[in-house]
Amino acid sequence: MRKKRSIVWLSVLAGTLATCTPTMAFAESGTVATTSSTVWTQDKLVETARATLSLSTSDWVLLKAEHEQTPEDGSDLWYLAFSGPHGDYYDVVLDGRRGEVTNLNRTHSPINAYVGSLTQEEARERAESLLRKLAPERFGQYVYSEGAYSPVERCYRFEFERFVDGINVLDNTVRIALYPNGDVFQYAITFTKGDFPKQTPVLSEESAQKLYRDSLNLRADTSAGTDDSIIYRPTYPPYEDHYPIYNATTGKSIDRSGHEVPPTDTSPARGGVTVPDNLPDLYVKKRPLRLAYLTQSPGAKPILVYTPQTLEAFFPSQAPGLDVLTGDLTGDADSGTNLWVFGAKPLPVPIHDGWAAKGLQMLQDRGILARLGNPTDAEHELTRAELITMVMRFASPMYLSGQEDQVPEPDVPKLPYVDVPPTHRDRQELYNAFAYQWIADDTHFRPEDKITREEAAAVLARILGTQLGTAPDVALPYLDAADISPWAWNNVALNYQLGLMRGDGTNSFHPKQYITLAEMSSVLTQLSVKTSRLDINVPPILLGE
């Protein structure tokens, strides 16, 4: 089975599979291994890990410390495991010779970590600050490469590439993942030791680009595109386990181990689909080659090579495709979203400078606006289904995998709404919301009806698990408080008390008005702040209790 990078990262140093919901990498044993040859003592490394990650001795218990040395590559690593409050865990790897954190995974139990209002740019700034803190001596060699929000795993991911004298060092990366609330829970750095002597390429860039162009062998991707467009992806035959890499000294095509590979198969495209003559040139223009160092075994001289920029895929099936209709590169075929490879797009101009721009940008970065059809009007009045979709994509502490008919009864009841057919676009979100008990058990949901502000307040009250029998001890200052429906009074009062929903500049709540996209983005931003001390409601059955 081929290993894919679209959803998971392979932790090179720890040798563990790291995802946005990382698991413990250590055994349950509490043994401690020590070696006198290490430059840093165990106590010193534990102290360094605590200081770097702000792990107090009162709240965080050291579960284990293990030492591993590999003479073949000279590595000297310490593996530490800490247990913190509320089931929180840190797995930390440190370089025993430098005393630096090289890898960490955090298992963060509080489900509120998924609820946060960071935009992609704000999350990137936090990632850069972490890199500067954990690798201060190497920070200047790493340059931001790509980043995006993963809507499947609901986390921001960022990658930084290493450059020496302006030339990229392949596979020398820093990868950082953050929860939407800003908690950093994953970090991995790869750094090849040794010298990188300056080399003059014999193969010209023009010649390399021609070799690259001829090696693409673009094929129509029948699993992508639309009725109006066809997506073409490179196949790089006859191998499927490397990108096009050209030795800048010999001009030969090589694999990632430096071995020469046979010439490319340039047979006609399969399926009788002819590749337009201009596509290979356009693809090369969109994704050109660049000079890079290919490092092999420790101590071996790096090879100067030409290879494509944005090496985000291990296999051709994951390489960006070219949309014939737009002329743009598309995302990773295996990730199910363009966001992971290429990041989020800027907000549409009509809603870029409004009062809710920050919240709307956050929704854009996390793919929520795209899920709503990319509305360009901040005053767009939300339907009931759209609001639930926004809330589920933003605040859901877990997303029930599979379709509802795959969830056994009576653990999670079937969706009861007769007006939400199996083909409805938002049925999965409504099903999850119903399973969380965030929406009422009824025979009809009216998904296409617009939702009022007092109805939205009721949904938020359910999200926070608050079903109040009497009104909170708070007076509503709204001039139109008398217009609030009796059934909604407690919910509106709760939202006012928590600061989630407030009135407008005229001190009115407008309970019967439809809530807009801009207003809901502001509500979700406030919700992300409040959930630092409030709990999102999840029925015990969904938590395995």
Side-chain angles (χ1 to χ4, degrees), residues 5-19:
R5 177 175 178 254
S6 57
I7 297 300
V8 300
W9 291 343
L10 293 179
S11 173
V12 177
L13 294 173
T16 58
L17 190 64
T19 69

Side-chain angles (χ1 to χ4, degrees), residues 177-338:
L178 303 90
Y179 287 116
N181 71 347
D183 286 352
V184 178
F185 70 94
Q186 193 171 82
Y187 169 88
I189 182 172
T190 53
F191 185 93
T192 301
K193 301 175 184 178
D195 297 327
F196 291 84
K198 291 186 177 180
Q199 305 176 44
T200 302
V202 175
L203 180 67
S204 69
E205 181 177 345
E206 182 180 1
S207 298
Q209 299 287 14
K210 184 179 186 304
L211 289 172
Y212 175 39
R213 178 196 183 282
D214 294 340
S215 74
L216 290 175
N217 202 35
L218 295 171
R219 304 294 198 192
D221 185 350
T222 57
S223 65
T226 65
D227 294 338
D228 301 321
S229 182
I230 301 176
I231 304 299
Y232 287 89
R233 297 187 188 279
T235 54
Y236 310 138
Y239 292 98
E240 289 189 340
D241 60 353
H242 69 88
Y243 330 100
I245 304 175
Y246 306 101
N247 190 313
T249 301
T250 66
K252 300 294 185 179
S253 177
I254 60 176
D255 60 22
R256 296 182 68 82
S257 298
H259 301 134
E260 185 176 336
V261 298
T264 296
D265 172 19
T266 56
S267 57
R270 293 188 296 268
V273 179
T274 302
V275 178
D277 293 338
N278 68 318
L279 283 194
D281 289 326
L282 181 57
Y283 193 96
V284 171
K285 181 179 180 180
K286 292 284 186 177
R287 192 170 184 244
L289 296 178
R290 66 177 175 185
L291 279 174
Y293 286 117
L294 175 64
T295 57
Q296 303 170 80
S297 59
K301 179 181 178 181
I303 302 175
L304 190 63
V305 300
Y306 287 102
T307 195
Q309 296 183 25
T310 62
L311 298 180
E312 71 296 312
F314 279 129
F315 302 99
S317 64
Q318 296 171 280
L322 188 65
D323 189 319
V324 177
L325 180 64
T326 65
D328 294 329
L329 293 183
T330 66
D332 182 340
D334 292 305
S335 69
T337 173
N338 290 352

